[in-house]
Amino acid sequence: MKKLSRKFIDTLRVHVKGGSGGLGFPRLGGVGGKGGDVYVEACKEYTLKKTLNAKPGKRWIAASGGNSSKFLILGKGAEDLTIPVPVGTSIKLDQQKLLGDVNCVGDKVLVARGGAGGSPVNQYNGQKGQAWDLQLELKLLADVGLVGFPNAGKSTLLRAISRAKPKIASYPFTTLQPNIAMAEFEDGRQISIADLPGLIEGAWANVGMGHKFLRHVERTKLLLFVVDINGFQLGPKHPYRTAVENIILLNKELEIYSPDLLDKPALLMINKMDCLNAEDNLKKLLKDLSQMKELCMNFPEEFRPLELVNFDDVIPCSARENRASVNCLKQRLRELLDFYGDQERNQATVVATAKEKVKKQLCESSNRLT
């Protein structure tokens, strides 16, 4: 695991400190320069690994302000220090309080202020800058997030739907780090798809890879559940789960981690339809999906979802053998993303119009009063 963690880093703990203010010059009333501030900024095509390599000691300390002197009454202020991070990084104080997110190239968050320079207010002693321990957490930004148990065929699908070449094998946990690939259409449209390591029962409690990768589905626009029509069994010591039971358990894992995930648009892909008896199993699965609430009652309470995912569509597919089914899925993803994108834009327009109307009414009322 140590070797893998060096390949992909999605969390990084760093120490930041604003620069100290410069000393004042009491005899002439000189004021010291302000210490540099520390910012976190999103940079194009950057990774947290590059952030770590830039400062292996993980300490980012801004320069101190210049001292005042008889030759320079006003001490020179120090330059600010910028920590480059990838787009989609959250900055947390003490691993809990969110200071901000940088979701677009150029977004900046002030994380430590530099100290004030020495002046009559502070007896000409430069003040220390703020110092904190921060947690930088990368949450991948993608249009679609693949969710499923190990060996459901997510990596096979990613290879079939894009030009990505993830490792594929017939054993669980082939994917050990997130992959993002681009699905391209003939008209030039592109859809980004994030393939995450397979979840296992108890991922919400950090069993397996747990929260380490569940966080990456938070910023996707649409969830694509990938389920093996044959069901799944992690190992001899684990129970066999049918396809519908896998759907229920995936639902529960997401719900416990963050109930908001269940509000995301979702599509269900039934994979490996090239297997024997797949059509018969599909008919049973579709019947079971119409009785999900009743089936949930067969699970122990800790595995029973309080709210069920509302799938926009159910698409049978063979990612390995049937190119036509992959193209059908690809087109459906585009249609849903466009549909929900239009809804979001229309809602934003309505809100903006309402705000402008209220603002206009307030101005008119203010004018009448004056």
Side-chain angles (χ1 to χ4, degrees), residues 163-183:
R163 297 177 180 177
K165 295 183 179 179
K167 183 178 178 182
I168 297 173
S170 58
Y171 52 85
F173 298 117
T174 307
T175 303
L176 294 171
Q177 62 188 40
N179 298 303
I180 286 190
M182 301 301 294

Side-chain angles (χ1 to χ4, degrees), residues 102-118:
V102 287
N103 294 327
C104 298
V105 173
D107 283 358
K108 295 177 73 172
V109 174
L110 176 63
V111 294
R113 296 183 183 277

Side-chain angles (χ1 to χ4, degrees), residues 77-339:
E79 291 186 3
D80 296 332
L81 177 65
T82 299
I83 305 174
V85 297
V87 171
T89 299
S90 294
I91 303 103
K92 293 184 177 180
L93 179 62
D94 298 326
Q95 300 186 36
Q96 294 180 344
K97 182 181 178 181
L98 181 65
L99 295 182
D101 298 307
V102 287
N103 294 327
C104 298
V105 173
D107 283 358
K108 295 177 73 172
V109 174
L110 176 63
V111 294
R113 296 183 183 277
S119 68
V121 176
N122 53 35
Q123 288 77 50
Y124 296 97
N125 293 312
Q127 303 300 293
K128 292 182 178 180
Q130 294 177 328
W132 318 105
D133 287 325
L134 302 180
Q135 182 88 356
L136 305 178
E137 292 185 355
L138 174 63
K139 296 178 182 178
L140 297 178
L141 295 170
D143 295 316
V144 180
L146 303 186
V147 179
F149 286 118
N151 213 34
K154 299 187 299 300
S155 295
T156 304
L157 173 63
L158 200 70
R159 172 176 283 186
I161 210 169
S162 72
R163 297 177 180 177
K165 295 183 179 179
K167 183 178 178 182
I168 297 173
S170 58
Y171 52 85
F173 298 117
T174 307
T175 303
L176 294 171
Q177 62 188 40
N179 298 303
I180 286 190
M182 301 301 294
E184 298 183 2
F185 295 83
E186 292 182 357
D187 61 358
R189 171 73 184 278
Q190 292 185 328
I191 292 176
S192 56
I193 302 174
D195 176 23
L196 310 178
L199 299 175
I200 64 173
E201 294 177 35
W204 60 270
N206 263 347
V207 174
M209 297 182 183
H211 286 187
K212 179 174 175 61
F213 295 121
L214 268 174
R215 76 166 69 93
H216 292 297
V217 300
E218 290 187 62
R219 289 183 178 166
T220 55
K221 299 175 183 177
L222 183 148
L223 300 181
L224 176 58
F225 283 60
V226 182
V227 175
D228 187 337
I229 188 61
N230 302 303
F232 173 68
Q233 184 175 15
L234 182 63
K237 296 182 180 180
H238 294 79
Y240 165 79
R241 301 293 191 187
T242 64
V244 72
E245 288 174 337
N246 284 333
I247 295 168
I248 293 171
L249 289 171
L250 286 170
N251 192 142
K252 185 62 177 178
E253 293 297 335
L254 297 181
E255 178 185 81
I256 295 177
Y257 176 71
S258 174
D260 291 341
L261 292 176
L262 303 185
D263 295 330
K264 286 182 177 290
L267 187 65
L268 175 60
M269 170 193 164
I270 309 302
N271 197 21
K272 303 187 181 180
M273 287 299 296
D274 54 300
C275 296
L276 291 175
N277 302 318
E279 291 296 334
D280 292 336
N281 291 336
L282 178 63
K283 290 178 183 178
K284 183 178 185 308
L285 173 58
L286 293 176
K287 182 180 178 180
D288 289 341
L289 287 174
S290 66
Q291 304 171 348
M292 284 271 281
K293 289 185 178 179
E294 293 80 2
L295 291 172
C296 287
M297 300 308 295
N298 297 328
F299 278 80
E301 188 173 350
E302 62 269 24
F303 293 125
R304 197 181 304 156
L306 300 176
E307 181 182 348
L308 294 175
V309 174
N310 182 27
F311 293 111
D312 285 280
D313 206 347
V314 179
I315 298 184
C317 182
S318 172
R320 187 185 297 273
E321 300 292 340
N322 192 325
R323 184 68 202 180
S325 66
V326 173
N327 289 336
C328 175
L329 173 66
K330 183 177 175 181
Q331 185 60 36
R332 193 71 180 106
L333 288 173
R334 176 175 180 166
E335 292 170 355
L336 287 174
L337 286 169
D338 288 346
F339 173 77

Side-chain angles (χ1 to χ4, degrees), residues 345-363:
R345 283 188 290 273
N346 291 338
Q347 185 177 4
T349 301
V350 170
V351 171
T353 303
K355 286 183 177 179
E356 190 63 32
K357 185 177 180 180
V358 170
K359 184 179 178 181
K360 184 178 180 180
Q361 289 174 344
L362 289 173
C363 289

